[in-house]
Short mmCIF file of all heavy atoms in Angstrom, two decimals:
data_model
loop_
_atom_site.label_atom_id
_atom_site.label_comp_id
_atom_site.label_asym_id
_atom_site.label_seq_id
_atom_site.Cartn_x
_atom_site.Cartn_y
_atom_site.Cartn_z
N MET A 209 54.27 -39.33 -54.93
CA MET A 209 54.04 -40.41 -53.98
C MET A 209 53.24 -41.54 -54.63
O MET A 209 53.53 -42.71 -54.43
CB MET A 209 53.27 -39.83 -52.80
CG MET A 209 52.88 -40.86 -51.79
SD MET A 209 52.93 -40.22 -50.14
CE MET A 209 54.66 -40.28 -49.80
N ILE A 263 62.11 -40.45 -53.70
CA ILE A 263 62.59 -40.52 -52.31
C ILE A 263 64.10 -40.78 -52.26
O ILE A 263 64.83 -40.19 -51.45
CB ILE A 263 61.76 -41.54 -51.53
CG1 ILE A 263 60.36 -40.95 -51.28
CG2 ILE A 263 62.41 -41.94 -50.21
CD1 ILE A 263 59.34 -41.90 -50.69
N ALA A 296 63.02 -46.92 -50.06
CA ALA A 296 61.84 -46.69 -49.22
C ALA A 296 62.30 -46.17 -47.85
O ALA A 296 63.41 -46.49 -47.39
CB ALA A 296 61.07 -47.99 -49.04
N ILE A 297 61.40 -45.42 -47.19
CA ILE A 297 61.69 -44.87 -45.87
C ILE A 297 61.17 -45.83 -44.82
O ILE A 297 59.97 -46.11 -44.78
CB ILE A 297 60.99 -43.50 -45.68
CG1 ILE A 297 61.38 -42.54 -46.80
CG2 ILE A 297 61.29 -42.91 -44.31
CD1 ILE A 297 60.51 -41.28 -46.84
N GLY A 298 62.03 -46.32 -43.95
CA GLY A 298 61.62 -47.30 -42.93
C GLY A 298 61.63 -46.71 -41.54
O GLY A 298 62.43 -47.11 -40.68
N LEU A 299 60.75 -45.74 -41.31
CA LEU A 299 60.67 -45.13 -39.98
C LEU A 299 59.48 -45.70 -39.21
O LEU A 299 59.63 -46.34 -38.17
CB LEU A 299 60.55 -43.60 -40.09
CG LEU A 299 61.74 -42.87 -40.74
CD1 LEU A 299 61.45 -41.39 -40.88
CD2 LEU A 299 63.00 -43.07 -39.91
N SER A 300 58.25 -45.50 -39.70
CA SER A 300 57.04 -45.81 -38.93
C SER A 300 56.87 -47.31 -38.67
O SER A 300 57.26 -48.14 -39.49
CB SER A 300 55.81 -45.30 -39.67
OG SER A 300 55.95 -43.94 -39.97
N GLU A 301 56.28 -47.57 -37.52
CA GLU A 301 55.89 -48.94 -37.13
C GLU A 301 54.48 -48.85 -36.57
O GLU A 301 54.00 -47.75 -36.24
CB GLU A 301 56.84 -49.49 -36.08
CG GLU A 301 58.26 -49.62 -36.60
CD GLU A 301 59.22 -50.23 -35.56
OE1 GLU A 301 58.76 -50.63 -34.46
OE2 GLU A 301 60.41 -50.28 -35.87
N PRO A 302 53.80 -49.99 -36.38
CA PRO A 302 52.44 -49.92 -35.83
C PRO A 302 52.39 -49.13 -34.51
O PRO A 302 51.43 -48.42 -34.27
CB PRO A 302 52.07 -51.39 -35.64
CG PRO A 302 52.85 -52.09 -36.71
CD PRO A 302 54.15 -51.36 -36.81
N GLY A 303 53.43 -49.18 -33.69
CA GLY A 303 53.40 -48.45 -32.42
C GLY A 303 54.32 -47.23 -32.42
O GLY A 303 54.62 -46.67 -31.37
N ALA A 304 54.79 -46.82 -33.58
CA ALA A 304 55.73 -45.68 -33.63
C ALA A 304 55.47 -44.85 -34.88
O ALA A 304 55.84 -45.24 -35.98
CB ALA A 304 57.17 -46.19 -33.64
N GLY A 305 54.78 -43.73 -34.69
CA GLY A 305 54.54 -42.79 -35.80
C GLY A 305 55.05 -41.45 -35.35
O GLY A 305 56.26 -41.16 -35.44
N SER A 306 54.18 -40.65 -34.75
CA SER A 306 54.63 -39.37 -34.17
C SER A 306 55.65 -39.65 -33.08
O SER A 306 56.65 -38.94 -32.93
CB SER A 306 53.44 -38.62 -33.56
OG SER A 306 52.44 -38.44 -34.52
N ASP A 307 55.39 -40.70 -32.31
CA ASP A 307 56.33 -41.08 -31.24
C ASP A 307 57.36 -42.04 -31.83
O ASP A 307 57.42 -43.22 -31.50
CB ASP A 307 55.54 -41.76 -30.11
CG ASP A 307 56.43 -42.02 -28.89
OD1 ASP A 307 57.55 -41.46 -28.85
OD2 ASP A 307 56.02 -42.80 -28.02
N LEU A 308 58.20 -41.48 -32.69
CA LEU A 308 59.11 -42.31 -33.49
C LEU A 308 60.16 -43.04 -32.65
O LEU A 308 60.60 -44.14 -33.00
CB LEU A 308 59.80 -41.40 -34.53
CG LEU A 308 60.66 -42.06 -35.58
CD1 LEU A 308 59.87 -43.08 -36.39
CD2 LEU A 308 61.25 -41.01 -36.52
N LYS A 328 57.84 -52.73 -40.23
CA LYS A 328 57.65 -51.32 -40.60
C LYS A 328 56.29 -51.18 -41.28
O LYS A 328 55.74 -52.16 -41.80
CB LYS A 328 58.78 -50.88 -41.54
CG LYS A 328 60.15 -50.85 -40.86
CD LYS A 328 60.23 -49.73 -39.84
CE LYS A 328 61.47 -49.80 -38.97
NZ LYS A 328 61.49 -48.72 -37.96
N ILE A 329 55.76 -49.96 -41.29
CA ILE A 329 54.44 -49.76 -41.91
C ILE A 329 54.39 -48.42 -42.65
O ILE A 329 55.20 -47.53 -42.37
CB ILE A 329 53.32 -49.86 -40.85
CG1 ILE A 329 51.95 -50.01 -41.53
CG2 ILE A 329 53.33 -48.67 -39.90
CD1 ILE A 329 50.83 -50.44 -40.60
N TRP A 330 53.46 -48.31 -43.58
CA TRP A 330 53.25 -47.13 -44.43
C TRP A 330 54.46 -46.87 -45.33
O TRP A 330 54.69 -45.73 -45.72
CB TRP A 330 52.96 -45.86 -43.61
CG TRP A 330 51.96 -46.00 -42.53
CD1 TRP A 330 52.15 -45.77 -41.20
CD2 TRP A 330 50.58 -46.39 -42.67
NE1 TRP A 330 51.00 -46.01 -40.50
CE2 TRP A 330 50.02 -46.40 -41.38
CE3 TRP A 330 49.78 -46.75 -43.75
CZ2 TRP A 330 48.70 -46.74 -41.14
CZ3 TRP A 330 48.46 -47.10 -43.51
CH2 TRP A 330 47.94 -47.09 -42.22
N SER A 331 55.24 -47.90 -45.63
CA SER A 331 56.49 -47.69 -46.37
C SER A 331 56.14 -47.40 -47.84
O SER A 331 55.84 -48.31 -48.61
CB SER A 331 57.37 -48.93 -46.29
OG SER A 331 57.35 -49.42 -44.96
N SER A 332 56.19 -46.13 -48.20
CA SER A 332 55.78 -45.70 -49.55
C SER A 332 56.67 -46.33 -50.60
O SER A 332 57.90 -46.27 -50.50
CB SER A 332 55.87 -44.18 -49.68
OG SER A 332 54.98 -43.59 -48.76
N GLY A 333 56.05 -46.90 -51.61
CA GLY A 333 56.78 -47.42 -52.77
C GLY A 333 57.60 -48.68 -52.52
O GLY A 333 58.29 -49.15 -53.44
N MET A 340 65.56 -50.29 -48.39
CA MET A 340 64.87 -49.46 -47.39
C MET A 340 65.93 -49.00 -46.39
O MET A 340 66.79 -49.80 -45.99
CB MET A 340 63.80 -50.28 -46.66
CG MET A 340 63.31 -49.65 -45.39
SD MET A 340 62.17 -50.71 -44.49
CE MET A 340 60.64 -50.21 -45.26
N ASP A 377 44.65 -47.65 -50.29
CA ASP A 377 44.18 -46.39 -49.70
C ASP A 377 42.75 -46.06 -50.19
O ASP A 377 42.14 -46.82 -50.94
CB ASP A 377 45.18 -45.25 -49.98
CG ASP A 377 45.12 -44.75 -51.41
OD1 ASP A 377 44.28 -45.21 -52.20
OD2 ASP A 377 45.94 -43.85 -51.74
N HIS A 383 49.94 -47.78 -52.83
CA HIS A 383 51.30 -47.25 -53.02
C HIS A 383 52.11 -47.27 -51.74
O HIS A 383 53.27 -46.92 -51.73
CB HIS A 383 51.27 -45.84 -53.63
CG HIS A 383 50.39 -44.89 -52.89
ND1 HIS A 383 50.82 -44.22 -51.79
CD2 HIS A 383 49.10 -44.55 -53.08
CE1 HIS A 383 49.83 -43.49 -51.33
NE2 HIS A 383 48.76 -43.66 -52.09
N PHE A 384 51.47 -47.65 -50.61
CA PHE A 384 52.30 -47.86 -49.41
C PHE A 384 52.06 -49.27 -48.86
O PHE A 384 51.14 -49.96 -49.31
CB PHE A 384 52.18 -46.77 -48.36
CG PHE A 384 50.79 -46.31 -47.99
CD1 PHE A 384 49.70 -47.15 -48.09
CD2 PHE A 384 50.59 -45.03 -47.49
CE1 PHE A 384 48.44 -46.73 -47.72
CE2 PHE A 384 49.32 -44.59 -47.13
CZ PHE A 384 48.25 -45.45 -47.24
N GLU A 417 63.18 -34.30 -46.02
CA GLU A 417 61.88 -34.87 -46.40
C GLU A 417 60.78 -33.81 -46.37
O GLU A 417 59.85 -33.86 -47.17
CB GLU A 417 61.56 -36.02 -45.43
CG GLU A 417 60.31 -36.77 -45.79
CD GLU A 417 60.02 -37.96 -44.88
OE1 GLU A 417 60.96 -38.45 -44.21
OE2 GLU A 417 58.87 -38.38 -44.85
N ARG A 418 60.89 -32.87 -45.44
CA ARG A 418 59.77 -31.94 -45.23
C ARG A 418 59.90 -30.62 -45.98
O ARG A 418 58.94 -29.87 -46.05
CB ARG A 418 59.67 -31.61 -43.73
CG ARG A 418 59.20 -32.78 -42.93
CD ARG A 418 59.36 -32.55 -41.43
NE ARG A 418 58.85 -33.69 -40.70
CZ ARG A 418 59.17 -33.97 -39.44
NH1 ARG A 418 60.01 -33.18 -38.78
NH2 ARG A 418 58.67 -35.02 -38.84
N ARG A 525 42.99 -38.32 -52.66
CA ARG A 525 44.39 -38.45 -52.23
C ARG A 525 44.83 -37.38 -51.24
O ARG A 525 45.94 -37.45 -50.71
CB ARG A 525 45.32 -38.40 -53.45
CG ARG A 525 45.27 -39.67 -54.28
CD ARG A 525 46.24 -39.56 -55.44
NE ARG A 525 46.25 -40.79 -56.23
CZ ARG A 525 46.89 -40.92 -57.37
NH1 ARG A 525 47.57 -39.91 -57.86
NH2 ARG A 525 46.86 -42.07 -58.02
N PRO A 527 43.57 -36.42 -48.14
CA PRO A 527 43.54 -36.57 -46.66
C PRO A 527 44.90 -36.92 -46.01
O PRO A 527 45.21 -36.39 -44.95
CB PRO A 527 42.51 -37.69 -46.43
CG PRO A 527 41.61 -37.60 -47.61
CD PRO A 527 42.49 -37.20 -48.77
N PRO A 528 45.77 -37.76 -46.64
CA PRO A 528 47.02 -38.10 -45.93
C PRO A 528 48.05 -36.98 -45.88
O PRO A 528 49.05 -37.10 -45.19
CB PRO A 528 47.60 -39.27 -46.74
CG PRO A 528 46.57 -39.67 -47.73
CD PRO A 528 45.65 -38.53 -47.90
N ASN A 529 47.81 -35.85 -46.61
CA ASN A 529 48.81 -34.78 -46.65
C ASN A 529 49.27 -34.34 -45.28
O ASN A 529 50.44 -34.05 -45.06
CB ASN A 529 48.23 -33.53 -47.33
CG ASN A 529 48.09 -33.71 -48.80
OD1 ASN A 529 48.65 -34.66 -49.35
ND2 ASN A 529 47.34 -32.84 -49.44
N THR A 530 48.32 -34.26 -44.35
CA THR A 530 48.66 -33.72 -43.03
C THR A 530 49.23 -34.81 -42.11
O THR A 530 49.51 -34.53 -40.95
CB THR A 530 47.43 -33.10 -42.37
OG1 THR A 530 46.38 -34.08 -42.40
CG2 THR A 530 46.96 -31.87 -43.10
N LEU A 531 49.39 -36.03 -42.64
CA LEU A 531 49.95 -37.12 -41.81
C LEU A 531 51.37 -37.48 -42.26
O LEU A 531 52.29 -37.53 -41.44
CB LEU A 531 49.08 -38.39 -41.95
CG LEU A 531 47.64 -38.30 -41.43
CD1 LEU A 531 46.87 -39.55 -41.80
CD2 LEU A 531 47.64 -38.12 -39.92
N ARG A 532 51.52 -37.77 -43.56
CA ARG A 532 52.82 -38.28 -44.04
C ARG A 532 53.93 -37.25 -43.79
O ARG A 532 53.68 -36.05 -43.90
CB ARG A 532 52.72 -38.61 -45.53
CG ARG A 532 52.43 -37.39 -46.33
CD ARG A 532 52.33 -37.66 -47.79
NE ARG A 532 52.18 -36.38 -48.46
CZ ARG A 532 51.55 -36.20 -49.59
NH1 ARG A 532 51.00 -37.22 -50.20
NH2 ARG A 532 51.48 -35.01 -50.13
N GLY A 533 55.11 -37.78 -43.44
CA GLY A 533 56.24 -36.89 -43.17
C GLY A 533 56.14 -36.15 -41.84
O GLY A 533 56.91 -35.25 -41.55
N GLY A 534 55.15 -36.54 -41.00
CA GLY A 534 54.96 -35.88 -39.71
C GLY A 534 53.63 -35.12 -39.71
O GLY A 534 53.33 -34.41 -40.67
N THR A 535 52.84 -35.28 -38.63
CA THR A 535 51.49 -34.70 -38.63
C THR A 535 51.54 -33.19 -38.34
O THR A 535 52.54 -32.66 -37.84
CB THR A 535 50.60 -35.37 -37.55
OG1 THR A 535 51.09 -34.99 -36.27
CG2 THR A 535 50.59 -36.88 -37.67
N THR A 536 50.40 -32.56 -38.61
CA THR A 536 50.29 -31.11 -38.38
C THR A 536 50.62 -30.76 -36.92
O THR A 536 51.35 -29.80 -36.65
CB THR A 536 48.84 -30.68 -38.70
OG1 THR A 536 48.63 -30.98 -40.08
CG2 THR A 536 48.61 -29.21 -38.45
N GLU A 537 50.06 -31.55 -35.99
CA GLU A 537 50.28 -31.25 -34.57
C GLU A 537 51.77 -31.33 -34.23
O GLU A 537 52.30 -30.48 -33.49
CB GLU A 537 49.49 -32.22 -33.68
CG GLU A 537 47.98 -32.04 -33.72
CD GLU A 537 47.32 -32.56 -35.01
OE1 GLU A 537 48.00 -33.30 -35.78
OE2 GLU A 537 46.16 -32.23 -35.26
N VAL A 538 52.45 -32.33 -34.80
CA VAL A 538 53.88 -32.49 -34.53
C VAL A 538 54.66 -31.31 -35.14
O VAL A 538 55.57 -30.76 -34.51
CB VAL A 538 54.38 -33.86 -35.05
CG1 VAL A 538 55.89 -33.96 -35.03
CG2 VAL A 538 53.76 -34.99 -34.21
N ARG A 550 57.44 -23.66 -25.84
CA ARG A 550 57.37 -24.93 -25.09
C ARG A 550 58.76 -25.49 -24.80
O ARG A 550 59.72 -25.04 -25.40
CB ARG A 550 56.52 -25.97 -25.83
CG ARG A 550 57.06 -26.42 -27.17
CD ARG A 550 56.09 -27.34 -27.89
NE ARG A 550 56.13 -28.69 -27.33
CZ ARG A 550 56.61 -29.76 -27.97
NH1 ARG A 550 57.10 -29.65 -29.18
NH2 ARG A 550 56.61 -30.95 -27.43
C1 FAD B 622 50.46 -41.32 -47.45
C2 FAD B 622 51.42 -41.68 -46.34
C3 FAD B 622 52.69 -42.10 -46.66
C4 FAD B 622 53.58 -42.44 -45.65
N1 FAD B 622 54.82 -42.90 -46.01
C5 FAD B 622 55.67 -43.31 -45.04
C6 FAD B 622 56.92 -43.89 -45.39
O1 FAD B 622 57.27 -44.02 -46.57
N2 FAD B 622 57.72 -44.34 -44.40
C7 FAD B 622 57.40 -44.20 -43.09
O2 FAD B 622 58.19 -44.59 -42.25
N3 FAD B 622 56.22 -43.66 -42.72
C8 FAD B 622 55.35 -43.22 -43.67
N4 FAD B 622 54.14 -42.68 -43.32
C9 FAD B 622 53.77 -42.65 -41.90
C10 FAD B 622 53.69 -41.26 -41.30
O3 FAD B 622 54.96 -40.72 -41.07
C11 FAD B 622 52.88 -41.40 -40.00
O4 FAD B 622 51.55 -41.72 -40.38
C12 FAD B 622 52.90 -40.15 -39.17
O5 FAD B 622 54.17 -39.92 -38.63
C13 FAD B 622 51.87 -40.24 -38.02
O6 FAD B 622 52.03 -41.40 -37.28
P1 FAD B 622 50.79 -42.36 -36.93
O7 FAD B 622 50.09 -42.66 -38.22
O8 FAD B 622 51.31 -43.49 -36.13
O9 FAD B 622 49.79 -41.47 -36.08
P2 FAD B 622 49.93 -41.13 -34.53
O10 FAD B 622 51.33 -40.74 -34.22
O11 FAD B 622 49.35 -42.24 -33.74
O12 FAD B 622 49.02 -39.85 -34.41
C14 FAD B 622 47.59 -39.90 -34.31
C15 FAD B 622 47.09 -38.51 -34.03
O13 FAD B 622 47.59 -38.05 -32.76
C16 FAD B 622 48.27 -36.80 -32.89
N5 FAD B 622 49.43 -36.75 -31.99
C17 FAD B 622 50.36 -37.71 -31.80
N6 FAD B 622 51.31 -37.29 -30.94
C18 FAD B 622 50.99 -36.01 -30.61
C19 FAD B 622 51.60 -35.03 -29.77
N7 FAD B 622 52.75 -35.28 -29.12
N8 FAD B 622 51.00 -33.81 -29.67
C20 FAD B 622 49.85 -33.55 -30.34
N9 FAD B 622 49.22 -34.45 -31.15
C21 FAD B 622 49.78 -35.66 -31.28
C22 FAD B 622 48.74 -36.76 -34.32
O14 FAD B 622 48.94 -35.44 -34.77
C23 FAD B 622 47.59 -37.47 -35.05
O15 FAD B 622 46.58 -36.55 -35.34
C24 FAD B 622 53.22 -42.34 -44.29
C25 FAD B 622 51.92 -41.92 -43.97
C26 FAD B 622 51.03 -41.60 -44.96
C27 FAD B 622 49.64 -41.17 -44.58
#
Side-chain angles (χ1 to χ4, degrees):
M209 176 145 282
I263 287 172
I297 305 168
L299 297 176
S300 306
E301 297 182 5
S306 304
D307 187 14
L308 187 58
K328 293 290 170 182
I329 194 166
W330 314 120
S331 318
S332 298
M340 164 185 272
D377 75 3
H383 52 84
F384 47 28
E417 185 177 340
R418 290 169 178 160
R525 286 182 178 173
N529 287 346
T530 52
L531 296 173
R532 63 180 186 209
T535 69
T536 299
E537 290 75 14
V538 169
R550 64 186 283 249

